[in-house]
Amino acid sequence: VVNQGETADRKSVPLLTETASPRHGPHENPLAHLIPDNVTVVVVDDSALQRTCVLRSMKNIQKTTAASNWSYAQFETIEAAQPLLCQIHAAKTSAIVCLDEQMGSKGGIMTGTQATRWLLKDLGFSGVIVSTSGDPGAGERHRNLGAHAVWGKPLPPESKQVEDLVAAFKDTMKLRTST
Protein backbone atom coordinates (compact mmCIF):
# COMPACT_ATOMS: atom_id res chain seq x y z
CA VAL A 1 0.00 0.00 0.00
CA VAL A 2 1.33 3.40 -0.97
CA ASN A 3 0.60 6.33 1.30
CA GLN A 4 0.22 9.66 -0.40
CA GLY A 5 1.02 12.71 1.68
CA GLU A 6 0.54 16.42 1.32
CA THR A 7 2.93 18.43 -0.81
CA ALA A 8 3.60 22.10 -0.35
CA ASP A 9 1.65 23.19 -3.40
CA ARG A 10 -0.66 20.31 -4.35
CA LYS A 11 -2.92 17.98 -2.45
CA SER A 12 -3.11 14.29 -3.16
CA VAL A 13 -5.88 11.99 -2.12
CA PRO A 14 -5.06 8.88 -0.09
CA LEU A 15 -4.84 5.47 -1.68
CA LEU A 16 -7.85 3.20 -1.31
CA THR A 17 -7.41 -0.57 -1.37
CA GLU A 18 -10.05 -3.20 -1.89
CA THR A 19 -9.98 -6.88 -2.81
CA ALA A 20 -12.67 -8.85 -4.62
CA SER A 21 -13.63 -12.48 -4.16
CA PRO A 22 -11.42 -15.24 -5.58
CA ARG A 23 -11.91 -16.46 -9.15
CA HIS A 24 -12.63 -20.06 -8.32
CA GLY A 25 -15.68 -22.00 -7.32
CA PRO A 26 -18.19 -24.43 -8.74
CA HIS A 27 -19.58 -21.92 -11.25
CA GLU A 28 -16.61 -19.95 -12.55
CA ASN A 29 -17.39 -16.49 -13.87
CA PRO A 30 -17.15 -16.44 -17.72
CA LEU A 31 -15.40 -13.05 -17.47
CA ALA A 32 -12.80 -14.41 -15.05
CA HIS A 33 -9.20 -14.24 -16.26
CA LEU A 34 -10.00 -11.73 -19.00
CA ILE A 35 -8.66 -8.90 -16.87
CA PRO A 36 -5.63 -9.58 -14.65
CA ASP A 37 -5.38 -9.66 -10.88
CA ASN A 38 -3.02 -7.31 -9.04
CA VAL A 39 -3.89 -4.12 -10.92
CA THR A 40 -3.40 -0.60 -9.63
CA VAL A 41 -6.11 1.80 -10.82
CA VAL A 42 -5.08 5.46 -10.86
CA VAL A 43 -7.79 8.05 -11.51
CA VAL A 44 -6.64 11.60 -12.27
CA ASP A 45 -9.37 14.23 -12.50
CA ASP A 46 -9.92 17.61 -10.89
CA SER A 47 -13.58 16.73 -10.23
CA ALA A 48 -14.21 14.75 -7.05
CA LEU A 49 -17.54 13.61 -8.48
CA GLN A 50 -15.94 12.25 -11.67
CA ARG A 51 -13.21 10.49 -9.67
CA THR A 52 -15.94 8.87 -7.56
CA CYS A 53 -17.84 7.75 -10.67
CA VAL A 54 -14.75 6.27 -12.30
CA LEU A 55 -13.64 4.53 -9.10
CA ARG A 56 -17.11 3.07 -8.56
CA SER A 57 -17.12 1.81 -12.14
CA MET A 58 -13.66 0.25 -11.77
CA LYS A 59 -14.69 -1.48 -8.54
CA ASN A 60 -17.77 -2.88 -10.30
CA ILE A 61 -15.58 -4.15 -13.13
CA GLN A 62 -13.25 -5.77 -10.62
CA LYS A 63 -16.22 -7.59 -9.07
CA THR A 64 -17.84 -8.45 -12.42
CA THR A 65 -14.63 -10.02 -13.72
CA ALA A 66 -13.78 -11.59 -10.35
CA ALA A 67 -10.36 -9.94 -10.42
CA SER A 68 -8.55 -9.81 -7.11
CA ASN A 69 -6.03 -7.60 -5.38
CA TRP A 70 -6.79 -4.37 -7.15
CA SER A 71 -5.71 -1.17 -5.45
CA TYR A 72 -7.08 2.28 -6.14
CA ALA A 73 -5.58 5.76 -6.04
CA GLN A 74 -7.08 9.08 -7.00
CA PHE A 75 -5.47 12.44 -7.65
CA GLU A 76 -6.62 15.93 -8.59
CA THR A 77 -3.64 16.56 -10.89
CA ILE A 78 -1.16 14.52 -12.90
CA GLU A 79 1.68 16.19 -11.02
CA ALA A 80 0.35 14.73 -7.76
CA ALA A 81 0.06 11.29 -9.41
CA GLN A 82 3.53 11.26 -10.99
CA PRO A 83 5.43 9.68 -8.05
CA LEU A 84 3.00 6.75 -7.90
CA LEU A 85 2.98 6.35 -11.69
CA CYS A 86 6.79 6.23 -11.71
CA GLN A 87 6.69 3.66 -8.91
CA ILE A 88 4.18 1.49 -10.83
CA HIS A 89 6.30 1.74 -13.97
CA ALA A 90 9.52 0.82 -12.13
CA ALA A 91 7.83 -2.19 -10.53
CA LYS A 92 6.41 -3.26 -13.92
CA THR A 93 3.02 -3.97 -12.36
CA SER A 94 -0.30 -3.90 -14.20
CA ALA A 95 -2.12 -0.59 -14.08
CA ILE A 96 -5.08 1.30 -15.44
CA VAL A 97 -4.69 5.08 -15.58
CA CYS A 98 -7.86 7.13 -16.20
CA LEU A 99 -7.14 10.72 -17.23
CA ASP A 100 -9.18 13.88 -17.56
CA GLU A 101 -7.94 16.63 -19.90
CA GLN A 102 -8.15 19.88 -17.91
CA MET A 103 -6.99 19.82 -14.28
CA GLY A 104 -6.03 23.46 -13.86
CA SER A 105 -8.82 24.15 -11.38
CA LYS A 106 -6.82 22.20 -8.78
CA GLY A 107 -3.47 23.72 -9.69
CA GLY A 108 -2.49 21.18 -12.33
CA ILE A 109 -0.11 22.34 -15.02
CA MET A 110 -0.14 19.28 -17.30
CA THR A 111 -3.19 18.44 -19.38
CA GLY A 112 -4.36 14.91 -20.02
CA THR A 113 -2.84 15.14 -23.50
CA GLN A 114 0.53 16.12 -22.04
CA ALA A 115 0.18 13.40 -19.38
CA THR A 116 -0.53 10.75 -22.03
CA ARG A 117 2.53 11.87 -23.98
CA TRP A 118 4.66 11.85 -20.78
CA LEU A 119 3.45 8.38 -19.76
CA LEU A 120 4.03 6.75 -23.14
CA LYS A 121 6.88 8.67 -24.73
CA ASP A 122 8.97 9.85 -21.77
CA LEU A 123 8.26 7.24 -19.10
CA GLY A 124 7.69 4.26 -21.40
CA PHE A 125 4.62 3.28 -19.39
CA SER A 126 3.23 -0.15 -20.32
CA GLY A 127 -0.10 0.02 -18.50
CA VAL A 128 -3.57 0.77 -19.81
CA ILE A 129 -4.48 4.42 -20.38
CA VAL A 130 -8.13 5.47 -20.56
CA SER A 131 -9.24 8.97 -21.49
CA THR A 132 -12.17 10.03 -19.30
CA SER A 133 -12.37 13.60 -20.55
CA GLY A 134 -15.71 15.14 -21.39
CA ASP A 135 -14.08 16.84 -24.39
CA PRO A 136 -14.33 14.52 -27.44
CA GLY A 137 -11.44 16.33 -29.10
CA ALA A 138 -9.22 15.67 -26.09
CA GLY A 139 -10.24 12.03 -26.10
CA GLU A 140 -9.23 11.75 -29.74
CA ARG A 141 -5.86 13.39 -29.01
CA HIS A 142 -5.33 10.90 -26.15
CA ARG A 143 -6.18 8.00 -28.49
CA ASN A 144 -3.84 9.32 -31.21
CA LEU A 145 -1.03 9.44 -28.65
CA GLY A 146 -1.66 5.83 -27.64
CA ALA A 147 -4.47 5.76 -25.06
CA HIS A 148 -6.26 2.42 -25.18
CA ALA A 149 -9.81 3.68 -24.70
CA VAL A 150 -11.85 6.87 -24.72
CA TRP A 151 -14.83 6.80 -22.37
CA GLY A 152 -15.87 10.42 -22.03
CA LYS A 153 -18.52 11.80 -19.72
CA PRO A 154 -20.85 10.27 -18.83
CA LEU A 155 -19.05 6.93 -18.72
CA PRO A 156 -20.19 4.27 -21.20
CA PRO A 157 -22.03 1.13 -20.04
CA GLU A 158 -19.97 -1.29 -17.97
CA SER A 159 -20.06 -3.90 -20.77
CA LYS A 160 -18.25 -1.42 -23.09
CA GLN A 161 -15.72 -0.61 -20.38
CA VAL A 162 -14.98 -4.31 -19.81
CA GLU A 163 -14.67 -4.88 -23.57
CA ASP A 164 -12.20 -1.98 -23.86
CA LEU A 165 -10.15 -3.13 -20.87
CA VAL A 166 -9.96 -6.73 -22.10
CA ALA A 167 -8.68 -5.50 -25.49
CA ALA A 168 -6.26 -3.07 -23.82
CA PHE A 169 -4.77 -5.70 -21.52
CA LYS A 170 -4.30 -8.02 -24.52
CA ASP A 171 -2.37 -5.21 -26.23
CA THR A 172 -0.22 -4.44 -23.20
CA MET A 173 0.57 -8.12 -22.64
CA LYS A 174 1.68 -8.46 -26.29
CA LEU A 175 3.98 -5.44 -25.85
CA ARG A 176 5.46 -6.85 -22.64
CA THR A 177 6.22 -10.24 -24.19
CA SER A 178 7.71 -8.77 -27.38
CA THR A 179 10.31 -6.65 -25.55
Side-chain angles (χ1 to χ4, degrees), residues 19-25 66-68:
T19 303
S21 60
R23 293 180 185 222
H24 51 77
S68 63

Side-chain angles (χ1 to χ4, degrees), residues 34-44 54-55 57-59 61-62 65 67 70-75 81 84-85 88-89 93-99 119 125-132 148-149 151 161-162 164-166 168-169 172 176:
L34 293 178
I35 293 181
D37 293 329
N38 306 310
V39 172
T40 302
V41 177
V42 180
V43 179
V44 186
V54 173
L55 286 169
S57 184
M58 290 289 105
K59 289 176 184 180
I61 289 168
Q62 177 188 0
T65 61
W70 280 23
S71 58
Y72 298 86
Q74 57 177 317
F75 299 92
L84 178 60
L85 294 169
I88 290 167
H89 174 69
T93 57
S94 294
I96 302 168
V97 178
C98 300
L99 293 169
L119 283 163
F125 187 74
S126 61
V128 173
I129 299 174
V130 178
S131 173
T132 55
H148 298 90
W151 290 348
Q161 293 175 45
V162 170
D164 287 347
L165 291 175
V166 167
F169 275 112
T172 63
R176 287 181 185 183

Side-chain angles (χ1 to χ4, degrees), residues 32-145:
H33 309 292
L34 293 178
I35 293 181
D37 293 329
N38 306 310
V39 172
T40 302
V41 177
V42 180
V43 179
V44 186
D45 198 304
D46 59 340
S47 165
L49 177 61
Q50 182 67 8
R51 288 193 311 271
T52 299
C53 291
V54 173
L55 286 169
R56 182 180 305 124
S57 184
M58 290 289 105
K59 289 176 184 180
N60 286 338
I61 289 168
Q62 177 188 0
K63 289 176 185 163
T64 299
T65 61
S68 63
N69 299 317
W70 280 23
S71 58
Y72 298 86
Q74 57 177 317
F75 299 92
E76 296 175 332
T77 67
I78 192 66
E79 291 85 359
Q82 282 180 312
L84 178 60
L85 294 169
C86 288
Q87 200 173 46
I88 290 167
H89 174 69
K92 299 194 183 308
T93 57
S94 294
I96 302 168
V97 178
C98 300
L99 293 169
D100 187 21
E101 176 63 10
Q102 298 297 330
M103 295 165 271
S105 72
K106 298 296 181 180
I109 298 167
M110 290 178 84
T111 64
T113 300
Q114 292 166 326
T116 302
R117 185 177 298 115
W118 171 75
L119 283 163
L120 295 171
K121 307 291 188 240
D122 299 339
L123 190 60
F125 187 74
S126 61
V128 173
I129 299 174
V130 178
S131 173
T132 55
S133 174
D135 175 358
E140 193 59 33
R141 288 191 300 277
H142 297 175
R143 168 126 19 231
N144 289 339
L145 287 167

